[in-house]
Amino acid sequence: MSALGHLQALEAEAIHIMREVVAGTDKPVMLYSIGKDSAVMLHLARKAFHPAKPPFPLLHVDTTWKFRQMIEFRDRTAREMGLELIVHINQDGVARGINPFDHGSAVHTDIMKTQALKDALDKHGFDAAFGGARRDEEASRAKERICSFRTADHRWDPRAQRPELWKLFNTRLSPGESVRVFPLSNWTEADIWLYIEAEDIPVVPLYFAAVRPVVERDGTLIMVDDERMPLADGETPKMRKVRFRTLGCYPLTGAVESEAATVADIVAETQAATSSERQGRLIDTDQAASMEMKKQEGYF
Amino acid sequence: MSVMAQAADRSDAHGGKSLLRFITCGSVDDGKSTLIGRLLHDSALVLEDQMARLEADSAKFGTQGADIDFALLVDGLAAEREQGITIDVAWRYFATARRKFIVADTPGHEQYTRNMATGASTTELAVLLVDARKGMTTQTRRHATIVSLMGVRHLVLAVNKMDLVDFDEARFREIEADFSDFVARLADDKAAVTSIPISALKGDNVTTASEHMPWYDGPTVVAHLETIDVASDRAGEPFRLPVQLAVRPDQSFRGFAGQLSSGSVAAGDAVAVLPSGRKSVVKSIVTMDGELETAVAGQSVTLTLEDEIDVARGDVFCPPDVPAGVANQFEVTLIWMGDEPMLPGRPYAFKLASANARATITSLKHAINVNTGEKLAASKLELNEIATCNISLDRRIAFDAYSDNRDIGGFILIDRLTNHTVGAGMIHFALRRSSNIQWQSLDVDKRARAAMKDQRSAILWFTGLSGAGKSTIANLVEKKLAAMGKHTYTLDGDNVRHGLNRDLGFTDADRVENIRRIGEVARLMIDAGLITLVSFISPFRSERRLARELVGEGEFIEIHVDTPLEVAESRDVKGLYKKARAGEIKNFTGIDSPYEPPQNPEIRVDTAAMSAEDAADEIIEHLVRAGIID
């Protein structure tokens, strides 16, 4: 390959994947989680179908525990780009008062995220869902296909995956079945930030270092984003300069102390990092082979 | 793009790096996972929390005693970690100052041939590991054969565990020579081989040159991967762009989106659209970053044309003077990946680049022993088997030989019932006959012939167990039709097997061919305007579906004569069940060969609930309702 640099090659590959899936399925949707990977994926979707708009809506599964800045950013992005945004909340979970403090991260994630996602896909009849997951994030993801097939009840069977050869994706489905599609499979965290820098893609301000109120629990810095956060006796939030490498539900996402205030700073910090980005995600470690089990049950 | 390149240059050398995709072949015993673990570790890609987990896992599942077992770093599935084996392709990423690498790590055992072929399909280079103590093994030969078949042109022979043979040069040279001999014998000998003596566990010649092998003056593994020029000439090859979709935001814009698989294209270039052969000129190359003067291999772009010509998904843009081929029959190499065997004659869905078609294997020329490269006779292909075949499509497609262009020379086959990807193929060349045989277009057609007989032609396909009552009911139906003055013919299983199909037995492969021939004969009959009754056990869904698809919509009426096995067996009119139970007849449907009942037959006859006479009446009523007869 003569000229293409690695970011150009990754960009062209992701665009190719999105076009194939749109051509090969009936009703695709893009899972928009508001994070940096979603920002890159959305940017690529706009490129893939330019000058047309991406021919699918965005879907956000809102656990009601996201950072407030994420929700503002989500609504502004959809409005400015003129894209349809579907926000799905598991109202049954809300009625039952499910939250990460009383029910633990595993139950909260299962009901408000995994279950809610499956309900949303069923409700709208989507047969393909783009997601921003990358293979370098976690060991079981490294084994997953770009087009990852799901049964009618959304289960993933790692032992029965379709072989993916060349650039050929088999998107044929039986009624009720669906496919989760990961156009960023071959990107690393460093690639994501380099691309955000190169293409000047807007991201949620939480990624940049700022002085924020945090409490330290089990060695993890948790930001007090609203008054729902219960504080232990004598526990008071401290103001520290922190940023987030990954964004999820605020009570389940650890901050890191950082001075990185620009994308260029983050690129430098990422390349010098000594821990992986999902280290701050408490749900990955709540049990052994945790992500693989969640994925089999229908989590992204 | 230029914005991106500038930004990347500003931040550091990272964005301007090239990308190399490679595959590692070998087993855990050869130290393959150890090598990858070492590459990740030495390029500081293993981070502290991952290292902590690796140490914990090494203590729990490790095979390296007190040492860290790098293999656990790459085996991601719970079953793999527990069993200490690699099951599936795992993708790994690392970067050095010069290049970003995507590594396909695949299992080495024979039952995972499909995984290795899958991993190799996207890579430009293969690293084959050999244990210096064992030298070339059957497994090494298999890996070299597979990567060679998949068109990987750069091979690295990593002779590992040199520390266990005292870093002996003679041993290394011996293995190197054995390997060169074998590679030279493989059909496609274009691959270039580089041999490197290493110790993955100790780190010799992986990232840093070994102090223990002063006799070796070649590059380390990483130095070789960083500098090898795979910038194959794809840019210098003829322009090809398979069309993925038409982009039509409004009436004023009509573009065709796709990724250049080779060559380059510029605004103002003449292009041909295959398979139609229509020609036009590129008006513009559109991207969200602005129009491009030129697009090169690997880029995803959208082209607009000067003329309003018909272009659709599946078409390929080419230069008019160096067009791709167009054909519907090919000789191919086929790697079988399905759990069910491949049977010649059975239809599969076919996908090549963005083109879809229906395919059947018309002849299986020979299988290939993947361990030795030898040719073997075969009548079907099982999981992980490889063969040279002829394949026939129901439409013409644009293609290049796989050795010239992987993107429009490689295809997959998909099972049309389960939708699983069951085969991967590589085109050698088009069969000459496909361009010579033209369908005869006749003026007196099926409709005209049937109208003269005051009926519409149709196939009544009776399926069910032996002894279910198929022939009895078919015979009654034909009598009733004859009484109404209709023109009919009955194809009966036993009778046809005495003549047309007397060369066929009862293996799965022969059953498929049996039904294919019946389907073709029935098609000729309905072309003649007849109501054709077919009475065959026809146990497999996919062959009944094949027969259904040979004829037009509404012309195929599937009748399931549904009789429980116990009932059919108790009747045993011909005494066949008794013989089958005694083991005198093999592959008998219902006993030691499966019957797949129809899921949505047009008519289901429950012989326990109705008489043959009633069943025949019901079928006649259906024909009236369907407008076959008045």
Side-chain angles (χ1 to χ4, degrees):
Chain A
M1 257 161 298
S2 59
L4 297 195
H6 82 276
L7 289 179
Q8 289 173 305
L10 292 172
E11 175 189 81
E13 176 186 74
I15 290 173
H16 172 82
I17 292 163
M18 290 185 188
R19 289 168 171 175
E20 278 303 286
V21 170
V22 162
T25 59
D26 291 332
K27 197 172 179 188
V29 66
M30 177 165 282
L31 278 243
Y32 180 69
S33 71
I34 322 174
K36 62 188 188 300
D37 303 306
S38 282
V40 167
M41 183 167 63
L42 178 56
H43 186 74
L44 291 164
R46 292 171 60 222
K47 287 196 169 195
F49 303 97
H50 175 86
K53 280 184 186 166
F56 39 74
L58 306 181
L59 170 64
H60 179 230
V61 175
D62 190 347
T63 61
T64 74
W65 290 92
K66 298 297 172 188
F67 292 89
R68 284 172 299 170
Q69 281 191 352
M70 291 173 71
I71 301 302
E72 289 161 20
F73 184 86
R74 174 194 77 190
D75 294 342
R76 190 171 68 243
T77 300
R79 193 171 59 242
E80 286 176 2
M81 293 182 183
L83 297 172
E84 182 192 349
L85 171 70
I86 299 168
V87 176
H88 185 89
I89 295 174
N90 184 345
Q91 295 299 348
D92 178 53
V94 173
R96 286 158 61 194
I98 300 295
N99 70 73
F101 302 110
D102 300 328
H103 302 92
S105 67
V107 170
H108 166 75
T109 304
D110 178 53
I111 294 176
M112 297 308 290
K113 213 165 165 178
T114 306
Q115 198 53 48
L117 172 62
K118 293 194 278 190
D119 290 347
L121 296 175
D122 287 343
K123 180 180 165 192
H124 297 277
F126 295 121
D127 60 348
F130 293 103
R134 310 187 318 268
R135 286 175 177 152
D136 80 324
E137 283 178 82
E138 201 274 336
S140 67
R141 290 235 193 259
K143 301 271 171 171
E144 190 163 14
R145 302 293 182 261
I146 289 172
C147 286
S148 184
F149 177 80
R150 302 300 158 110
T151 60
D153 53 358
H154 302 281
R155 290 189 71 86
W156 179 59
D157 180 358
R159 303 295 291 264
Q161 301 195 79
R162 296 175 177 178
E164 250 166 26
L165 293 109
W166 302 293
K167 298 173 189 166
L168 287 173
F169 301 102
N170 170 4
T171 52
R172 287 171 62 108
L173 301 168
S174 298
E177 295 171 346
S178 63
V179 62
R180 306 268 175 102
V181 184
F182 305 109
L184 306 181
S185 287
N186 288 325
W187 296 54
T188 61
E189 186 187 12
D191 296 331
I192 292 287
W193 282 115
L194 283 168
Y195 190 74
I196 286 171
E197 183 183 35
E199 298 276 307
D200 199 15
I201 300 170
V203 292
V204 183
L206 292 162
Y207 284 114
F208 303 109
V211 176
R212 298 184 170 99
V214 294
V215 293
E216 186 166 343
R217 290 186 179 171
D218 300 331
T220 303
L221 295 176
I222 302 294
M223 178 172 155
V224 182
D225 195 49
D226 60 34
E227 68 295 340
R228 291 179 297 174
M229 174 102 182
L231 297 174
D233 281 347
E235 192 179 43
T236 45
K238 294 196 175 61
M239 298 304 288
R240 289 163 79 167
K241 192 160 189 183
V242 296
R243 72 177 201 88
F244 294 86
R245 289 180 71 185
T246 169
L247 293 175
C249 294
Y250 83 77
L252 300 176
T253 307
V256 290
E257 301 218 72
S258 169
E259 295 293 325
T262 65
V263 177
D265 292 346
I266 293 173
V267 168
E269 190 184 276
T270 304
Q271 283 169 7
T274 56
S275 62
S276 70
E277 61 179 321
R278 288 197 77 91
Q279 187 193 25
R281 294 293 273 266
L282 304 183
I283 67 161
D284 288 6
T285 48
D286 44 24
Q287 52 210 328
S290 192
M291 179 64 87
E292 186 179 342
M293 287 177 58
K294 284 195 181 63
K295 287 170 61 57
Q296 289 187 24
E297 287 157 12
Y299 180 75
F300 237 83
Chain B
M1 295 294 169
S2 61
V3 180
M4 191 196 297
Q6 285 163 13
D9 284 340
R10 195 180 67 244
S11 62
D12 67 350
H14 227 92
K17 284 176 191 178
S18 57
L19 182 62
L20 177 72
R21 295 174 197 247
F22 70 93
I23 181 173
T24 51
C25 313
S27 71
V28 174
D29 301 339
D30 299 328
K32 176 185 53 124
S33 297
T34 310
L35 174 65
I36 296 179
R38 164 120 351 237
L39 289 172
L40 298 177
H41 181 260
D42 287 3
S43 53
L45 257 280
V46 183
L47 303 167
E48 281 172 8
D49 58 316
Q50 292 172 326
M51 201 66 197
R53 182 167 159 192
L54 181 59
E55 281 170 16
D57 283 353
S58 294
K60 201 165 164 191
F61 308 118
T63 58
Q64 297 298 326
D67 287 342
I68 286 173
D69 186 351
F70 284 110
L72 294 171
L73 197 58
V74 290
D75 290 336
L77 299 176
E80 295 178 316
R81 303 168 82 79
E82 282 155 17
Q83 297 168 34
I85 53 164
T86 308
I87 295 168
D88 207 333
V89 185
W91 301 92
R92 294 291 155 191
Y93 307 88
F94 70 100
T96 64
R98 305 173 77 150
R99 254 190 184 154
K100 172 179 164 116
F101 298 95
I102 298 180
V103 189
D105 178 22
T106 62
H109 300 294
E110 192 155 1
Q111 68 264 36
Y112 299 120
T113 293
R114 65 172 160 181
N115 305 68
M116 178 166 291
T118 301
S121 73
T122 56
T123 59
E124 294 135 335
L125 177 145
V127 176
L128 290 97
L129 270 121
V130 173
D131 183 329
R133 296 168 302 175
K134 299 185 207 154
M136 286 275 287
T137 60
T138 301
Q139 176 168 277
T140 317
R141 284 185 269 274
R142 178 169 70 248
H143 296 164
T145 305
I146 295 168
V147 296
S148 162
L149 277 173
M150 297 307 294
V152 177
R153 293 181 190 182
H154 302 273
L155 304 185
V156 175
L157 177 70
V159 180
N160 192 23
K161 306 195 186 182
M162 287 300 292
D163 51 317
L164 300 182
V165 294
D166 296 328
F167 301 104
D168 179 24
E169 178 176 9
R171 180 65 185 143
F172 171 71
R173 297 295 173 206
E174 184 188 350
I175 296 169
E176 182 181 33
D178 284 353
F179 188 75
S180 301
D181 285 352
F182 183 75
V183 171
R185 287 208 306 273
L186 292 173
D188 181 359
D189 59 358
K190 285 180 205 158
V193 180
T194 302
S195 304
I196 305 176
I198 67 167
S199 167
L201 197 62
K202 311 283 182 193
D204 295 79
N205 285 337
V206 178
T207 47
T208 49
S210 171
E211 293 170 10
H212 303 103
M213 293 176 272
W215 46 266
Y216 175 76
D217 57 5
T220 63
V221 173
V222 168
H224 181 66
L225 295 175
E226 273 186 323
T227 53
I228 186 165
D229 179 23
V230 291
S232 68
D233 9 76
R234 278 212 301 165
E237 287 169 10
F239 163 62
R240 301 283 186 261
L241 185 146
V243 175
Q244 292 185 272
L245 39 84
V247 179
R248 300 203 72 170
D250 53 52
Q251 292 301 315
S252 67
F253 186 92
R254 182 163 171 262
F256 305 101
Q259 185 177 21
L260 278 81
S261 76
S262 60
S264 64
V265 67
D269 282 0
V271 288
V273 184
L274 297 181
S276 76
R278 293 185 186 89
K279 294 183 178 61
S280 186
V281 171
V282 176
K283 184 176 175 186
S284 60
I285 303 170
V286 177
T287 75
M288 197 170 83
D289 304 312
E291 292 191 4
L292 305 180
E293 280 296 308
T294 303
V296 298
Q299 279 184 299
S300 286
V301 296
T302 297
L303 301 186
T304 63
L305 302 178
E306 292 288 359
D307 310 281
E308 284 263 330
I309 59 171
D310 193 13
V311 180
R313 176 173 167 80
D315 290 346
V316 177
F317 284 119
C318 309
D321 53 339
V322 204
V326 173
N328 66 350
Q329 295 188 47
F330 308 94
E331 185 191 277
V332 305
T333 296
L334 187 64
I335 301 179
W336 200 246
M337 302 188 165
D339 294 325
E340 294 269 308
M342 186 284 288
L343 300 175
R346 180 172 280 189
Y348 297 97
F350 169 100
K351 188 173 183 204
L352 176 145
S354 53
N356 290 292
R358 203 176 76 199
T360 51
I361 306 302
T362 49
S363 72
L364 204 168
K365 302 179 111 173
H366 57 81
I368 296 163
N369 179 330
V370 70
N371 295 326
T372 60
E374 283 173 319
K375 296 175 181 176
L376 306 166
S379 63
K380 61 178 180 179
L381 274 191
E382 301 279 358
L383 174 65
N384 290 317
E385 291 185 340
I386 301 177
T388 300
C389 307
N390 286 349
I391 187 169
S392 172
L393 309 183
D394 66 343
R395 47 169 295 215
R396 301 193 316 148
I397 58 157
F399 76 99
D400 278 328
Y402 183 78
S403 56
D404 292 335
N405 188 320
R406 285 191 195 186
D407 292 341
I408 59 170
F411 61 88
I412 54 172
L413 295 181
I414 300 166
D415 184 291
R416 297 159 73 239
L417 293 175
T418 64
N419 290 325
H420 289 153
T421 302
V422 290
M426 290 149 285
I427 292 179
H428 302 167
F429 47 79
L431 299 176
R432 183 177 289 262
R433 65 172 177 266
S434 71
S435 49
N436 293 341
I437 296 178
Q438 298 288 328
W439 281 102
Q440 290 295 325
S441 164
L442 302 170
D443 292 336
V444 180
D445 64 2
K446 172 164 64 183
R447 182 173 288 274
R449 294 188 198 99
M452 277 187 281
K453 300 177 181 72
D454 194 23
Q455 63 190 33
R456 274 178 45 210
S457 46
I459 296 178
L460 306 186
W461 191 283
F462 295 81
T463 173
L465 296 169
S466 175
K470 298 182 298 295
S471 297
T472 308
I473 297 170
N475 191 31
L476 281 170
V477 171
E478 189 170 24
K479 274 192 201 164
K480 287 174 191 288
L481 288 169
M484 296 163 78
K486 303 301 172 190
H487 297 247
T488 60
Y489 190 79
T490 297
L491 289 163
D492 180 82
D494 290 345
N495 295 345
V496 173
R497 277 198 176 273
H498 286 304
L500 176 65
N501 289 354
R502 73 175 166 212
D503 56 326
L504 300 178
F506 289 88
T507 62
D508 284 358
D510 280 359
R511 283 176 186 274
V512 171
E513 175 60 14
N514 182 38
I515 298 302
R516 190 192 69 79
R517 289 186 198 173
I518 300 306
E520 290 288 353
V521 171
R523 174 159 77 161
L524 294 174
M525 295 277 179
I526 74 159
D527 208 38
L530 299 175
I531 296 171
T532 309
L533 297 88
V534 178
S535 173
F536 272 70
I537 297 172
S538 46
F540 301 136
R541 264 177 217 132
S542 52
E543 277 67 56
R544 295 194 301 265
R545 183 159 159 181
L546 166 65
R548 180 185 289 272
E549 287 172 355
L550 285 172
V551 299
E553 183 83 24
E555 289 178 338
F556 188 90
I557 295 160
E558 188 173 23
I559 300 160
H560 182 199
V561 181
D562 193 0
T563 302
L565 179 63
E566 315 81 78
V567 177
E569 188 168 357
S570 69
R571 291 181 194 154
D572 208 7
V573 194
K574 303 169 195 164
L576 296 173
Y577 282 99
K578 200 174 163 200
K579 286 187 187 168
R581 289 286 183 201
E584 292 166 33
I585 306 178
K586 292 277 179 240
N587 299 319
F588 193 80
T589 300
I591 307 294
D592 57 350
S593 184
Y595 178 79
E596 300 170 357
Q599 286 164 322
N600 295 299
E602 275 74 8
I603 300 171
R604 184 176 156 273
V605 173
D606 180 355
T607 61
M610 69 172 82
S611 67
E613 189 67 36
D614 291 346
D617 285 338
E618 189 179 311
I619 292 165
I620 296 289
E621 279 168 31
H622 180 94
L623 295 181
V624 174
R625 280 200 304 275
I628 307 287
I629 55 176
D630 300 329

